[in-house]
Amino acid sequence: MSTVLNVLLPIFGLILVGFICRRTNRLGPTAASEMNRFVVWLGLPALLFSLTAKADWAQIWQPGFLLAFTGGMLAVFLITLAYRWKTTGSLVDASIDGLSAGYANTGYIGIPLCVLVLGEDGMAPALIASLMVVCVLFGLAVVCIEVGLQSKKGVGGAIAQVVTALLKNPLVLAPLLGAAWALGGVQMPAALDEFLRLLGAATVPCALVSLGLFLAQRQSGPSEGAWPLVALKLVLQPLVTWFIAFVLLDLPPFWAHAALLLSALPTGTGPFMLAEYYQRQAALVSRAILFSTLGSLLTLTLILLLITP
C-alpha cells in the first residue's frame, strides 16, 4: 500500500494544488487556459519531439502492446459513438461522447505514473499510448466531427479540412517531426538537446496543476450522462484491454501491465477542448473528466495493488 501511495500522492497532490489555487483565487480564471496553452504549445511538444527523435524504434515497435491498448481504446470509442449517434442523431455530439469515454489522460497523468511505477523504461509504453491517443483516437474523433459538420460540403472537403487542422496541431506535428529527425540519423546538437530537456521537464508539473485548475472551474449547462461515460472509461476499457493483453495475446508482464495501467487512466482534457472549440456539451465533458479523475483514485489503486510486488 505504501508503494501505491508513493506513486499516486505526488501526481494527485499536484492536481490538488491547482484545484485549491483556483478555488481560493490564488490563480485567476484564465490560469488554467494559459497554463494549458503552455503545455500544449511548448512543453508537451518539446517532450514528444525529444522522445521520438532519440527513441529506439526497434524497441518501441511492440505490436502486442499496440493491439491491446489501441484495441481497448477504439472498442470503447466505437461502442459509445454508435449508441449515442443512434439515440441523439448527432454525429458531432456522439463523437465527443465517444472521445470522453475512450480518451485516456496519457500525457498529463500516464507519463509520470508509468515512470514512477515501471521505472524509466515505462516512458516507452507511455509514449506509444500518447501517440495512439493523440494521433489515432483524437484524429478519428475530429474526422467524425468534421464529417458531421461538413456533410453538405461532401466527404472530400471535410477530409481536406481535417488534415489541415491535424497538421497544425503541435501534439501531432511534434512527434512526426521527431520521428523524421530520428530517421535522418543526425546527432542532436547539445544546446538543442538541453533546450528541449528544460522545456519538456516543465510539462508534467504544469500539466497536472493545469488539470487541477481546470477541474476547479464551475461549468454551466446540462451535465446529465457523465456517469455512464465514466463507467465506460474506468471499467469497460481496462476490462477489454486486460482481455486482449492477458488472455488473447499473453503479453510479457511489463507490456501487459503497462497496457492495463494506461487504459485505466481517467479522461484527459482533449474532449473538453473539442467541446469548447465546437461549442458543444462542455459541461457534460467537464463532469466526465472530474468524476473519472476522482474515480481513478480507486481504480488505479486496485490495479497498482495487482501489478506491483
Side-chain angles (χ1 to χ4, degrees):
M1 191 64 184
S2 61
T3 302
V4 173
L5 290 176
N6 288 336
V7 169
L8 293 182
L9 283 181
I11 292 172
F12 285 95
L14 286 169
I15 296 174
L16 180 61
V17 166
F19 187 92
I20 293 173
C21 285
R22 179 66 200 99
R23 283 299 173 91
T24 59
N25 209 32
R26 294 298 183 272
L27 293 174
T30 63
S33 175
E34 296 305 321
M35 194 171 287
N36 189 62
R37 284 175 182 270
F38 168 81
V39 172
V40 170
W41 287 96
L42 293 174
L44 193 51
L47 181 61
L48 291 174
F49 177 87
S50 181
L51 290 173
T52 51
K54 297 186 290 186
D56 182 353
W57 290 95
Q59 180 182 4
I60 285 181
W61 176 242
Q62 299 290 336
F65 172 82
L66 283 170
L67 182 58
F69 177 79
T70 309
M73 176 182 74
L74 290 181
V76 170
F77 172 78
L78 293 174
I79 289 171
T80 309
L81 175 71
Y83 176 76
R84 292 291 291 158
W85 192 7
K86 181 179 179 180
T87 55
T88 66
S90 171
L91 180 58
V92 178
D93 290 338
S95 301
I96 294 175
D97 287 344
L99 195 63
S100 299
Y103 192 100
N105 199 338
T106 54
Y108 288 11
I109 298 178
I111 289 176
L113 183 62
C114 277
V115 171
L116 285 171
V117 175
L118 304 172
E120 287 300 321
D121 290 341
M123 184 63 78
L127 171 61
I128 298 171
S130 297
L131 293 176
M132 292 301 102
V133 168
V134 173
C135 298
V136 176
L137 183 62
F138 194 83
L140 179 60
V142 172
V143 169
C144 292
I145 290 172
E146 290 292 347
V147 168
L149 291 175
Q150 308 294 335
S151 58
K152 294 181 180 180
K153 297 181 180 180
V155 176
I159 291 177
Q161 185 172 348
V162 168
V163 171
T164 301
L166 289 177
L167 291 178
K168 292 180 180 179
N169 188 323
L171 301 184
V172 176
L173 191 59
L176 292 177
L177 291 176
W181 185 290
L183 291 174
V186 180
Q187 182 71 25
M188 186 176 296
L192 176 60
D193 189 27
E194 180 64 9
F195 169 78
L196 293 172
R197 187 192 68 80
L198 290 172
L199 196 54
T203 299
V204 171
C206 287
L208 294 175
V209 172
S210 172
L211 180 57
L213 291 167
F214 160 72
L215 293 176
Q217 294 179 348
R218 294 179 176 87
Q219 301 296 331
S220 60
S223 59
E224 293 80 9
W227 281 111
L229 299 179
V230 173
L232 288 166
K233 180 70 204 69
L234 297 183
V235 179
L236 182 59
Q237 187 172 347
L239 284 176
V240 174
T241 303
W242 169 83
F243 181 76
I244 297 173
F246 288 85
V247 179
L248 287 183
L249 302 179
D250 192 21
L251 295 179
F254 174 85
W255 292 102
H257 292 164
L260 180 60
L261 186 64
L262 289 162
S263 70
L265 294 170
T267 302
T269 57
F272 178 78
M273 289 187 289
L274 276 189
E276 282 282 276
Y277 180 77
Y278 289 104
Q279 298 182 342
R280 294 286 168 158
Q281 46 192 358
L284 170 60
V285 177
S286 68
R287 290 295 183 274
I289 296 172
L290 173 60
F291 297 157
S292 67
T293 301
L294 295 176
S296 68
L297 280 169
L298 174 61
T299 55
L300 287 175
T301 297
L302 293 175
I303 289 175
L304 287 171
L305 288 173
L306 289 174
I307 69 175
T308 55

